[in-house]
Amino acid sequence: MSNTFDQDFCPACGTILPLPDGSSMIQCLLCKKILDISVFHGTQSTIHVDFQNIEDGRRTSENNEAIEGTLIQRKCPRCGHDEMSFTTRQLRSADEGQTVFFLCPKCSFQELENS
Ligand SMILES: [Zn+2]
Ligand SMILES: [Zn+2]
């Protein structure tokens, strides 16, 4: 490959990161950690980024990917399965709370809840 950017590895899970597409943000496909490339290349530290800021340019495969998380006792409103996968995501600054994602492993029904 002869890209101007070297490929980087996610510091959280070690997965190879997708190449940046002009934005300064890059998202790990596996653990969904969002990295600021300029920071990443400099100090190796990572930051959490407000999703709202990157929605315009960086909505790639996120919508189609299954959300992985912990199975909890929760009845799926669609198929009645009694376990759903539970994932939280910090969407905004800490005082804004976080969004909880539920995914039915049986019928792939997805539910969002803002706490
Ligand atoms: Zn990762
Ligand atoms: Zn279901």
Side-chain angles (χ1 to χ4, degrees):
M1 292 211 280
S2 58
N3 290 293
T4 49
F5 279 90
D6 293 332
Q7 289 217 288
D8 290 307
F9 294 89
C10 174
C13 70
T15 299
I16 196 161
L17 293 170
L19 286 168
D21 59 4
S23 159
S24 62
M25 301 299 172
I26 195 164
Q27 182 176 27
C28 174
L29 294 174
L30 187 66
C31 70
K32 310 297 183 196
K33 189 184 258 313
I34 295 193
L35 308 162
D36 181 323
I37 289 170
S38 58
V39 173
F40 189 66
H41 278 267
T43 64
Q44 295 287 322
S45 64
T46 61
I47 56 167
H48 285 285
V49 180
D50 187 342
F51 272 169
Q52 306 297 325
N53 286 341
I54 59 165
E55 258 180 1
D56 41 78
R58 290 211 45 85
R59 292 191 71 80
T60 52
S61 60
E62 189 185 338
N63 288 333
N64 297 325
E65 277 184 27
I67 300 167
E68 293 180 26
T70 316
L71 282 178
I72 57 155
Q73 296 289 313
R74 182 184 171 92
K75 194 161 189 165
C76 171
R78 186 197 276 173
C79 74
H81 190 63
D82 58 5
E83 276 184 332
M84 293 187 82
S85 171
F86 168 88
T87 315
T88 58
R89 238 183 246 180
Q90 195 82 42
L91 293 185
R92 298 173 145 265
S93 55
D95 58 315
E96 293 274 355
Q98 56 187 193
T99 297
V100 183
F101 291 76
F102 297 102
L103 172 73
C104 174
K106 201 170 177 183
C107 72
S108 296
F109 177 80
Q110 286 185 41
E111 201 172 9
L112 303 187
E113 226 170 65
N114 292 304
S115 61

Short mmCIF file of all heavy atoms in Angstrom, two decimals, residues 89-113:
data_model
loop_
_atom_site.label_atom_id
_atom_site.label_comp_id
_atom_site.label_asym_id
_atom_site.label_seq_id
_atom_site.Cartn_x
_atom_site.Cartn_y
_atom_site.Cartn_z
N ARG A 89 -22.73 3.68 25.73
CA ARG A 89 -21.83 4.54 24.99
C ARG A 89 -21.96 5.96 25.49
O ARG A 89 -23.06 6.47 25.61
CB ARG A 89 -22.18 4.50 23.51
CG ARG A 89 -21.01 4.04 22.66
CD ARG A 89 -21.42 4.11 21.25
NE ARG A 89 -21.48 2.76 20.68
CZ ARG A 89 -21.83 2.54 19.44
NH1 ARG A 89 -22.18 3.51 18.65
NH2 ARG A 89 -21.84 1.32 18.98
N GLN A 90 -20.85 6.53 25.77
CA GLN A 90 -20.83 7.93 26.18
C GLN A 90 -20.92 8.77 24.91
O GLN A 90 -20.01 8.80 24.10
CB GLN A 90 -19.52 8.23 26.91
CG GLN A 90 -19.56 9.52 27.67
CD GLN A 90 -20.24 9.35 29.03
OE1 GLN A 90 -20.03 8.37 29.71
NE2 GLN A 90 -21.08 10.29 29.39
N LEU A 91 -22.06 9.39 24.71
CA LEU A 91 -22.23 10.15 23.49
C LEU A 91 -21.80 11.60 23.63
O LEU A 91 -21.39 12.23 22.69
CB LEU A 91 -23.69 10.12 23.05
CG LEU A 91 -24.20 8.76 22.61
CD1 LEU A 91 -25.61 8.88 22.10
CD2 LEU A 91 -23.33 8.16 21.52
N ARG A 92 -21.94 12.11 24.80
CA ARG A 92 -21.63 13.52 24.99
C ARG A 92 -20.72 13.67 26.19
O ARG A 92 -20.18 12.70 26.70
CB ARG A 92 -22.92 14.31 25.18
CG ARG A 92 -23.81 14.22 23.97
CD ARG A 92 -25.13 14.87 24.26
NE ARG A 92 -25.61 15.51 23.04
CZ ARG A 92 -25.43 16.77 22.73
NH1 ARG A 92 -24.80 17.56 23.53
NH2 ARG A 92 -25.89 17.27 21.61
N SER A 93 -20.57 14.87 26.65
CA SER A 93 -19.76 15.08 27.84
C SER A 93 -20.38 14.37 29.04
O SER A 93 -21.57 14.06 29.03
CB SER A 93 -19.60 16.56 28.11
OG SER A 93 -20.86 17.17 28.19
N ALA A 94 -19.61 14.16 30.05
CA ALA A 94 -20.01 13.31 31.16
C ALA A 94 -21.34 13.72 31.79
O ALA A 94 -22.12 12.87 32.18
CB ALA A 94 -18.93 13.32 32.22
N ASP A 95 -21.58 14.98 31.85
CA ASP A 95 -22.81 15.42 32.51
C ASP A 95 -24.04 15.21 31.64
O ASP A 95 -25.16 15.43 32.08
CB ASP A 95 -22.69 16.88 32.94
CG ASP A 95 -22.39 17.79 31.77
OD1 ASP A 95 -21.51 17.43 30.96
OD2 ASP A 95 -23.02 18.84 31.65
N GLU A 96 -23.86 14.78 30.44
CA GLU A 96 -24.99 14.52 29.55
C GLU A 96 -25.49 13.08 29.68
O GLU A 96 -26.41 12.68 29.01
CB GLU A 96 -24.59 14.76 28.10
CG GLU A 96 -24.28 16.21 27.79
CD GLU A 96 -25.53 16.99 27.43
OE1 GLU A 96 -26.59 16.38 27.33
OE2 GLU A 96 -25.43 18.21 27.25
N GLY A 97 -24.81 12.30 30.49
CA GLY A 97 -25.22 10.91 30.61
C GLY A 97 -24.76 10.11 29.42
O GLY A 97 -24.00 10.57 28.59
N GLN A 98 -25.26 8.89 29.32
CA GLN A 98 -24.83 8.04 28.24
C GLN A 98 -26.02 7.33 27.61
O GLN A 98 -27.09 7.27 28.19
CB GLN A 98 -23.80 7.03 28.73
CG GLN A 98 -24.30 6.21 29.88
CD GLN A 98 -23.20 5.33 30.45
OE1 GLN A 98 -23.48 4.44 31.21
NE2 GLN A 98 -21.95 5.55 30.07
N THR A 99 -25.81 6.84 26.44
CA THR A 99 -26.86 6.11 25.76
C THR A 99 -26.64 4.61 25.96
O THR A 99 -25.54 4.12 25.85
CB THR A 99 -26.85 6.45 24.27
OG1 THR A 99 -27.13 7.84 24.13
CG2 THR A 99 -27.93 5.66 23.53
N VAL A 100 -27.73 3.94 26.27
CA VAL A 100 -27.66 2.50 26.46
C VAL A 100 -28.25 1.82 25.23
O VAL A 100 -29.33 2.19 24.77
CB VAL A 100 -28.44 2.09 27.72
CG1 VAL A 100 -28.31 0.59 27.95
CG2 VAL A 100 -27.94 2.86 28.93
N PHE A 101 -27.54 0.85 24.71
CA PHE A 101 -27.99 0.11 23.54
C PHE A 101 -28.38 -1.29 23.98
O PHE A 101 -27.63 -1.95 24.68
CB PHE A 101 -26.86 -0.03 22.52
CG PHE A 101 -26.47 1.26 21.87
CD1 PHE A 101 -25.71 2.19 22.55
CD2 PHE A 101 -26.86 1.53 20.57
CE1 PHE A 101 -25.35 3.39 21.96
CE2 PHE A 101 -26.49 2.72 19.98
CZ PHE A 101 -25.74 3.65 20.66
N PHE A 102 -29.53 -1.72 23.56
CA PHE A 102 -29.94 -3.10 23.77
C PHE A 102 -30.06 -3.78 22.43
O PHE A 102 -30.60 -3.20 21.49
CB PHE A 102 -31.28 -3.18 24.50
CG PHE A 102 -31.23 -2.60 25.89
CD1 PHE A 102 -31.74 -1.33 26.14
CD2 PHE A 102 -30.68 -3.31 26.93
CE1 PHE A 102 -31.70 -0.79 27.42
CE2 PHE A 102 -30.64 -2.78 28.22
CZ PHE A 102 -31.15 -1.51 28.45
N LEU A 103 -29.56 -4.97 22.33
CA LEU A 103 -29.66 -5.72 21.09
C LEU A 103 -30.13 -7.13 21.39
O LEU A 103 -29.56 -7.82 22.23
CB LEU A 103 -28.28 -5.78 20.40
CG LEU A 103 -28.20 -6.70 19.19
CD1 LEU A 103 -28.93 -6.10 18.00
CD2 LEU A 103 -26.76 -6.99 18.83
N CYS A 104 -31.19 -7.53 20.71
CA CYS A 104 -31.66 -8.91 20.85
C CYS A 104 -30.79 -9.81 20.00
O CYS A 104 -30.71 -9.62 18.79
CB CYS A 104 -33.11 -9.01 20.42
SG CYS A 104 -33.71 -10.73 20.40
N PRO A 105 -30.14 -10.81 20.60
CA PRO A 105 -29.27 -11.69 19.82
C PRO A 105 -30.06 -12.64 18.93
O PRO A 105 -29.51 -13.26 18.03
CB PRO A 105 -28.50 -12.48 20.90
CG PRO A 105 -29.37 -12.43 22.11
CD PRO A 105 -30.15 -11.14 22.04
N LYS A 106 -31.35 -12.72 19.19
CA LYS A 106 -32.16 -13.66 18.43
C LYS A 106 -32.71 -13.04 17.15
O LYS A 106 -32.58 -13.59 16.07
CB LYS A 106 -33.30 -14.15 19.32
CG LYS A 106 -33.90 -15.46 18.85
CD LYS A 106 -34.85 -15.99 19.93
CE LYS A 106 -35.53 -17.27 19.45
NZ LYS A 106 -36.50 -17.74 20.45
N CYS A 107 -33.32 -11.87 17.29
CA CYS A 107 -33.95 -11.27 16.12
C CYS A 107 -33.26 -9.97 15.70
O CYS A 107 -33.69 -9.31 14.78
CB CYS A 107 -35.43 -11.02 16.37
SG CYS A 107 -35.75 -9.67 17.52
N SER A 108 -32.19 -9.60 16.39
CA SER A 108 -31.40 -8.41 16.08
C SER A 108 -32.16 -7.11 16.30
O SER A 108 -31.80 -6.08 15.75
CB SER A 108 -30.88 -8.46 14.63
OG SER A 108 -30.00 -9.54 14.50
N PHE A 109 -33.21 -7.17 17.08
CA PHE A 109 -33.92 -5.95 17.41
C PHE A 109 -33.01 -5.05 18.23
O PHE A 109 -32.33 -5.49 19.14
CB PHE A 109 -35.18 -6.29 18.20
CG PHE A 109 -35.95 -5.07 18.64
CD1 PHE A 109 -36.78 -4.41 17.75
CD2 PHE A 109 -35.83 -4.58 19.94
CE1 PHE A 109 -37.50 -3.29 18.16
CE2 PHE A 109 -36.54 -3.46 20.35
CZ PHE A 109 -37.37 -2.81 19.44
N GLN A 110 -32.97 -3.77 17.90
CA GLN A 110 -32.13 -2.84 18.64
C GLN A 110 -32.98 -1.77 19.30
O GLN A 110 -33.94 -1.28 18.73
CB GLN A 110 -31.13 -2.17 17.70
CG GLN A 110 -30.01 -3.08 17.29
CD GLN A 110 -28.98 -2.35 16.46
OE1 GLN A 110 -28.61 -1.23 16.74
NE2 GLN A 110 -28.52 -3.00 15.41
N GLU A 111 -32.58 -1.43 20.49
CA GLU A 111 -33.31 -0.45 21.27
C GLU A 111 -32.30 0.52 21.90
O GLU A 111 -31.27 0.10 22.39
CB GLU A 111 -34.08 -1.17 22.36
CG GLU A 111 -35.23 -0.40 22.92
CD GLU A 111 -36.07 -1.25 23.87
OE1 GLU A 111 -35.67 -2.37 24.21
OE2 GLU A 111 -37.13 -0.78 24.26
N LEU A 112 -32.61 1.79 21.88
CA LEU A 112 -31.74 2.78 22.50
C LEU A 112 -32.45 3.39 23.69
O LEU A 112 -33.66 3.59 23.66
CB LEU A 112 -31.39 3.91 21.52
CG LEU A 112 -30.73 3.55 20.23
CD1 LEU A 112 -30.32 4.83 19.50
CD2 LEU A 112 -29.52 2.70 20.47
N GLU A 113 -31.69 3.69 24.69
CA GLU A 113 -32.26 4.34 25.85
C GLU A 113 -31.28 5.37 26.35
O GLU A 113 -30.10 5.09 26.54
CB GLU A 113 -32.48 3.30 26.95
CG GLU A 113 -33.84 3.40 27.59
CD GLU A 113 -34.08 2.21 28.49
OE1 GLU A 113 -33.37 2.06 29.47
OE2 GLU A 113 -35.01 1.43 28.17
#
